[in-house]
Amino acid sequence: MMNCFIRITALLLTSLNAANGFHIVLAGGTGKVGRELSSKLVEDGHDVTILCRNAFLAAAPSKVSSDFGWLGQSFLEKYPGIKLRDWDGVGQDWVGWQDDTLSKADCVVNLCGGFTQQREMATERIVRESLRCNPTALQITVAPKDEELRLISNVAVDAKMKRLKLCEDMVSQNCVNYETMRLQANRLEEESDNIKEVIYARLS
């Protein structure tokens, strides 16, 4: 009964927000997929907040380190609808990121990369805090297809596939409004469009 109420509430809120554009949060959105997807969403009139480890470095004029992701100053100036928010998905929280971003999100897309325990920690944090402050938001978790994983990261593949499945299960078993997606990493524009289409289909 409670799940039914949450679904109905989500549909009503989505209908109200659609006319003014959606609020979409991209966790780990400073990579190639996040860059492509965020620009497409903003061009369509939506607000995008990217949760990142270090907003200062991600917005720097030149790339400082691959460890923190990078979008660049010129990219962010071109797309002012994209905002960066520190959240440190693997360490100590930056105060208030949950209420600043998740509480008003229509959709949260988990693009966090890597195949270590840090991926699990980031997924758990997104799910936990979304359920606390905005349980009706659409949750989308994105991961490479199994055959893609064997090509791009061919060490300890079975353990990595198990971890990806664990993250997907964490979302599907706890969130009432969710989608899990497996993508091909070498088709950046096409797969970004696929994510966008799922967002629009589920929020329409």
Side-chain angles (χ1 to χ4, degrees), residues 71-166:
L71 293 173
Q73 181 180 352
S74 60
F75 176 81
L76 294 170
E77 289 175 348
K78 182 178 180 180
Y79 300 103
I82 299 173
K83 308 299 181 191
L84 302 181
R85 180 66 164 94
D86 288 317
W87 79 305
D88 193 8
V90 297
Q92 183 178 359
D93 288 338
W94 290 81
V95 176
W97 69 267
Q98 306 94 324
D99 296 312
D100 291 350
T101 59
L102 299 181
S103 63
K104 62 182 181 181
D106 297 298
C107 176
V108 180
V109 183
N110 184 355
L111 297 172
C112 294
F115 308 103
T116 67
Q117 189 178 12
Q118 292 178 349
R119 189 186 191 103
E120 294 178 39
M121 294 168 63
T123 300
E124 187 276 334
R125 185 168 291 183
I126 294 168
V127 170
R128 183 190 71 229
E129 295 302 330
S130 293
L131 291 175
R132 180 183 66 82
C133 61
N134 188 358
T136 64
L138 172 63
Q139 300 286 330
I140 298 178
T141 182
V142 178
K145 295 181 178 180
D146 288 347
E147 58 270 26
E148 283 279 305
L149 181 58
R150 294 183 188 278
L151 293 175
I152 62 178
S153 183
N154 61 1
V155 178
V157 174
D158 290 341
K160 292 173 182 175
M161 288 194 295
K162 183 178 179 180
R163 179 161 283 126
L164 294 180
K165 181 66 166 56
L166 178 65

